[in-house]
Amino acid sequence: MNNASKIEFHDLHTTRDEFLSDVINGLRQRPASIPPKYFYDAKGSKLFDAITELAEYYPTRSEIALLKQHADEIAGEVGTGSLLVEPGGGSCAKVHILLKGLKPCAYVPMDISKDHLQMAAQELAAQFPWLEIHAACTDFTREMKMPPSAPQGTKVAFFPGSSIGNFDPAGAVAFLQSIATLVGPGGYLLIGVDLKKDKKILEAAYDDAAGVTAQFNLNLLARINRELGGNFDLAQWQHLALYNEALGRIEMHLRSRCQQTVKIGSESFDFAQDETIHSENSYKYSVEEFNALATQAGFVSQQVWVDDKQLFSIHLFRVKP
Ligand SMILES: C[S@@+](CC[C@H](N)C(=O)[O-])C[C@H]1O[C@@H](n2cnc3c(N)ncnc32)[C@H](O)[C@@H]1O
């Protein structure tokens, strides 16, 4: 069997109409907001990968170190031959660490960023010729389903990168419930969760000196210009990242540098100077806080690993068999 015969690509991507209506509805609200899933076109995905290389961005380094350190224990708990699914797999970089120990019967990366996912799946297939891959371009905030052609096996969901922090706590419970339904009784969830910590470390991670996170945030406006015919003047918008200690979340905003009117097709939106568009939240949780959310969603804690500097956590949960 060659690689090409082992990769299947399922395309259920969001349409331009959905993007347009989400942006228009979000910009009509006060405060204005846009769902963070729209960061990830091909350019946004590349910028996110560049963020993961930054000195200030500790989450990726910490999570990779934890996964390497505990890969054998994870494999010992979960066993081999499972069906491994990764919502928001992005570049599918972290799963490499798990593949040798888990030897899954198939790997199902799901991501909204279609071209990036396709490339990542092809690269993975070249590196792991024995691996069966069913890549699905899909929006995980809607119903998550296994591609019908995926083989049977104990289901293991892998959700690294603290992407769970992009939901508010109630949304996180609802999303975790949808993962519990996806993996079913006896299924597992291996999830990376960023920990609460010093505000300075957090804010630097989301507002790096080289301005890569600023480019990532501003790409949202550039994408609206490219795909929806918007006329955002990027020079008139500033990236902001602030830790809201009361809510335990990093907030990313785009701040209007002046009073301005922006057009998207036939719609126009007025912004006062300093008014913001809220583009992302990234909630941080203690181990106990996150355990409580996952328990509400129907998971039972199996293991949790935290690095020596207490920067990041990886939890292994299971749905009761
Ligand atoms: C913060 S990045 C994490 C990437 C990777 N999992 C990691 O740990 O480095 C979030 C990933 O989720 C994807 N994503 C964001 N919102 C999504 C959605 N609603 N449905 C599917 N994928 C989504 C993005 O395209 C991106 O690859």
Side-chain angles (χ1 to χ4, degrees):
M1 221 192 233
N2 60 31
N3 286 337
S5 63
K6 288 190 199 167
I7 303 183
E8 276 198 16
F9 193 76
H10 305 262
D11 191 356
L12 307 161
H13 70 285
T14 48
T15 62
R16 181 186 180 277
D17 284 353
E18 286 168 280
F19 181 25
L20 181 63
S21 73
D22 282 350
V23 167
I24 287 174
N25 291 336
L27 295 184
R28 279 189 188 140
Q29 315 271 328
R30 285 295 174 270
S33 64
I34 298 177
K37 63 186 180 185
Y38 292 114
F39 279 133
Y40 299 96
D41 62 350
K43 175 130 192 246
S45 294
K46 278 199 190 118
L47 284 167
F48 178 75
D49 283 351
I51 289 172
T52 66
E53 308 275 323
L54 294 166
E56 296 94 330
Y57 199 75
Y58 64 85
T60 304
R61 272 193 311 280
S62 311
E63 190 175 37
I64 287 177
L66 277 173
L67 285 170
K68 285 186 174 159
Q69 199 179 340
H70 301 289
D72 290 346
E73 279 168 83
I74 294 167
E77 287 271 351
V78 170
T80 56
S82 59
L83 177 56
L84 183 61
V85 53
E86 185 177 358
S91 293
C92 308
K94 293 172 187 163
V95 77
H96 288 207
I97 304 164
L98 301 174
L99 289 175
K100 192 169 149 243
L102 291 185
K103 280 261 172 212
C105 65
Y107 170 59
V108 181
M110 296 175 170
D111 206 284
I112 203 163
S113 189
K114 183 175 160 187
D115 297 341
H116 197 76
L117 172 67
Q118 233 163 348
M119 248 163 31
Q122 276 158 6
E123 279 171 21
L124 194 70
Q127 288 183 58
F128 297 88
W130 53 267
L131 184 64
E132 181 175 324
I133 302 173
H134 298 254
C137 176
T138 181
D139 180 347
F140 62 52
T141 58
R142 303 210 212 126
E143 197 185 4
M144 267 187 294
K145 277 192 192 144
M146 284 294 178
S149 54
Q152 298 298 316
T154 300
K155 295 186 184 80
V156 180
F158 179 44
F159 198 52
S162 207
S163 295
I164 194 68
N166 297 150
F167 296 93
D168 65 18
V173 172
F175 179 74
L176 292 170
Q177 277 165 341
S178 70
I179 294 204
T181 305
L182 182 78
V183 300
Y188 291 88
L189 167 64
L190 182 68
I191 185 166
V193 183
D194 198 8
L195 294 167
K196 288 194 161 118
K197 61 183 66 65
D198 188 288
K199 187 181 167 116
K200 277 197 219 107
I201 300 176
L202 283 167
E203 290 186 347
Y206 292 83
D207 193 6
D208 56 284
V212 182
T213 316
Q215 283 181 56
F216 174 73
N217 201 3
L218 286 160
N219 178 57
L220 186 56
L221 306 184
R223 182 179 182 194
I224 294 171
N225 289 350
R226 281 193 296 272
E227 294 183 28
L228 304 179
N231 72 346
F232 278 100
D233 176 357
L234 268 55
Q236 297 307 331
W237 292 88
Q238 184 196 3
H239 164 70
L240 291 183
L242 308 162
Y243 186 53
N244 181 332
E245 215 139 9
L247 295 177
R249 70 186 195 195
I250 281 279
E251 296 178 6
M252 290 212 314
H253 297 265
L254 289 152
R255 187 183 71 82
S256 177
R257 293 185 192 270
C258 60
Q259 186 181 337
Q260 55 183 316
T261 300
V262 175
K263 283 193 170 258
I264 302 173
S266 56
E267 304 275 340
S268 37
F269 305 91
D270 295 325
F271 294 95
Q273 180 169 0
D274 294 332
E275 203 172 338
T276 63
I277 301 172
H278 190 169
S279 52
E280 191 182 68
N281 288 321
S282 188
Y283 281 82
K284 311 298 167 188
Y285 294 106
S286 68
V287 165
E288 295 73 24
E289 285 169 337
F290 195 73
N291 265 333
L293 292 189
T295 304
Q296 272 185 67
F299 283 105
V300 180
S301 175
Q302 306 294 296
Q303 277 276 8
V304 58
W305 298 278
V306 172
D307 60 288
D308 293 346
K309 292 186 187 152
Q310 313 255 309
L311 294 173
F312 204 85
S313 63
I314 294 179
H315 293 251
L316 180 67
F317 293 106
R318 193 173 193 199
V319 180
K320 269 201 193 125

